[in-house]
């Protein structure tokens, strides 16, 4: 049984790099990933970044315009630094132009996000919860009234409605145990971040499952994902060196090369991915960090998509 027979597979769209990116590379990966049978394409949100990072909605709109079936998602949008009306409208529009393929994953972000956007850190969890509730209501309703502690709207109709009803999937990418439990109550899926360790992912899955059961939700049908920064090469030292550069220059966390990332030969990488599936992942976001078109082919082969 191949990896693709065990788990849904997503592919990272080239969008963030310590080097420059070419639009032709983005196009090549989007088209090829769809042809190979990947479930969805993903990006992140990094407005302020030391390297190159494309805007998520713009990048996914481009990908949606040149593909026909593959899903388009972002993990994560740092929700509290945005107004929920704008987020709801952007993602409803993306769902509209993609024909119902949008997936929005949201998170709380880090301290620098609030500093960069001059948004108060105080009450960020309350802000986050209200935004999730309001976005879902705006996606599903014609005239929305919402009276929260932070956000209030009266008889608001979103200017664009999403195709998928009652709303596009809204996942959460959070790591703290309390946040994982919050995802079980509010979200339509959960993804462990690429920067979080594999050990942290394994520790979070039982917490998520227990919270889903407590909320009366079926853990077997709830998307459980892990973003995996990865490098594949028949020369293991080459793969590790490439991934170490990513964790050093982008994440400023060299130990993440081994704790969070996966690198090595195709056989070594497949074994470690299968370990994540055994730990409870039913979706994997595979995120090569360089040589994107070449790595896409290597990943597809080891996963059984070729």
């Amino acid at each position: 049984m191949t990896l693709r027979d065990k788990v849904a597979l997503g592919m990272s769209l080239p969008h963030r790099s310590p080097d420059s990116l070419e639009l032709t590379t983005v196009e090549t990966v989007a088209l090829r990933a769809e042809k190979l049978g990947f479930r969805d394409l993903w990006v992140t949100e990094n407005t302020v970044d030391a390297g190159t990072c494309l805007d998520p909605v713009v990048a996914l709109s481009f990908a949606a315009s040149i593909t026909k079936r593959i899903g388009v998602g972002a993990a994560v949008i740092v929700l509290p630094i945005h107004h929920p009306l704008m987020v709801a409208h952007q993602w409803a529009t993306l769902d509209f132009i993609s024909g119902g393929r949008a997936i929005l994953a949201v998170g709380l972000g880090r301290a620098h996000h609030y500093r960069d956007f001059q948004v108060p850190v105080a009450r960020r969890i309350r802000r986050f919860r209200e935004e999730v509730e309001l976005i879902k209501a705006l996606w599903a309703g014609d005239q929305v009234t919402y009276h929260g502690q932070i956000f209030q709207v009266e008889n608001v109709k979103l200017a664009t409605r999403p195709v998928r009803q009652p709303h596009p999937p809204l996942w959460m990418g959070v790591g703290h145990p309390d946040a994982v439990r919050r995802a079980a109550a509010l979200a339509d899926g959960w993804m462990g971040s690429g920067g979080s360790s594999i050990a942290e992912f394994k520790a979070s899955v039982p917490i998520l499952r227990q919270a889903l059961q407590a909320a009366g939700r079926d853990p077997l049908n709830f998307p459980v994902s892990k973003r995996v920064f990865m490098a594949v090469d028949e020369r293991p030292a080459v793969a590790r060196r490439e991934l170490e550069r990513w964790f050093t220059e982008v994440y400023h966390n060299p130990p993440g090369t081994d704790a969070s990332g996966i690198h090595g030969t195709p056989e070594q990488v497949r074994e470690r991915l299968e370990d994540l599936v055994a730990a409870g992942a039913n979706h994997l976001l595979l995120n090569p960090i360089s040589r994107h078109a070449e790595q896409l082919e290597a990943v597809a082969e080891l996963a059984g998509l070729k």
Side-chain angles (χ1 to χ4, degrees):
M1 183 180 294
T2 64
L3 190 61
R4 76 167 184 176
D5 298 319
K6 300 177 181 179
V7 65
L9 297 171
M11 172 54 57
S12 177
L13 196 68
H15 68 283
R16 188 184 189 192
S17 174
D19 305 312
S20 60
L21 287 169
E22 298 292 335
L23 185 60
T24 52
T25 306
V26 180
E27 180 180 15
T28 297
V29 169
L31 292 172
R32 184 63 174 152
E34 180 172 67
K35 186 174 182 179
L36 287 166
F38 282 91
R39 176 76 62 86
D40 25 53
L41 292 166
W42 294 83
V43 296
T44 57
E45 179 186 47
N46 298 277
T47 305
V48 178
D49 201 67
T52 301
C53 193
L54 306 180
D55 177 84
V57 175
V58 174
L60 294 176
S61 296
F62 171 73
S65 73
I66 61 174
T67 58
K68 296 180 180 179
R69 301 176 304 278
I70 195 166
V72 286
V76 295
I77 299 300
V78 182
L79 197 54
I81 65 175
H82 300 287
H83 195 283
L85 285 174
M86 182 62 73
V87 175
H89 189 223
Q90 287 177 321
W91 286 83
T93 302
L94 177 60
D95 199 61
F96 171 74
I97 68 171
S98 68
R101 292 184 277 149
I103 309 167
L104 171 61
V106 296
L108 281 170
R110 300 182 181 182
H112 72 86
H113 293 110
Y114 298 87
R115 183 176 64 251
D116 292 340
F117 283 85
Q118 301 176 40
V119 173
V121 174
R123 305 185 74 197
R124 64 189 182 279
I125 296 176
R126 164 53 57 182
R127 180 183 294 270
F128 179 85
R129 292 183 70 104
E130 289 190 11
E131 291 198 51
V132 169
E133 292 171 357
L134 182 51
I135 288 168
K136 285 188 173 183
L138 289 164
W139 280 343
D142 285 326
Q143 298 293 329
V144 175
T145 294
Y146 182 87
H147 295 152
Q149 296 179 22
I150 297 174
F151 297 102
Q152 299 87 32
V153 301
E154 198 79 33
N155 295 324
V156 170
K157 178 181 178 296
L158 203 61
T160 302
R161 294 292 298 279
V163 171
R164 199 158 5 174
Q165 290 297 315
H167 57 74
L170 193 153
W171 294 14
M172 290 185 184
V174 291
H176 189 279
D178 290 343
V180 172
R181 296 184 186 98
R182 191 180 308 123
L186 300 177
D188 304 308
W190 175 77
M191 180 181 290
S193 71
S196 65
S197 71
I198 292 172
E200 288 170 331
F201 173 80
K202 291 180 177 181
S204 294
V205 172
I207 296 172
L208 178 69
R209 286 175 170 170
Q210 184 178 28
L212 288 167
Q213 290 174 342
R217 308 183 71 180
D218 182 5
L220 296 179
N221 292 319
F222 190 88
V224 178
S225 183
K226 177 72 172 78
R227 179 183 229 115
V228 182
F229 293 127
M230 60 191 307
V232 186
D233 200 288
E234 292 290 355
R235 302 159 295 175
V238 172
R240 191 184 190 286
R241 185 164 60 247
E242 289 182 342
L243 195 60
E244 186 174 35
R245 183 192 175 209
W246 170 268
F247 273 100
T248 300
E249 297 186 15
V250 177
Y251 269 76
H252 309 291
N253 178 32
T257 306
D258 299 305
S260 304
I262 292 179
H263 54 83
T265 66
E267 294 77 13
Q268 290 170 330
V269 169
R270 183 174 57 248
E271 286 178 5
R272 296 202 65 196
L273 293 175
E274 288 178 345
D275 182 51
L276 286 171
V277 176
N282 54 29
H283 179 281
L284 292 174
L285 167 47
L286 306 180
N287 196 148
I289 45 75
S290 64
R291 298 183 285 144
H292 299 285
E294 176 187 334
Q295 288 283 288
L296 171 62
E297 299 296 333
V299 169
E301 185 165 359
L302 69 86
L305 291 168
K306 294 176 63 176

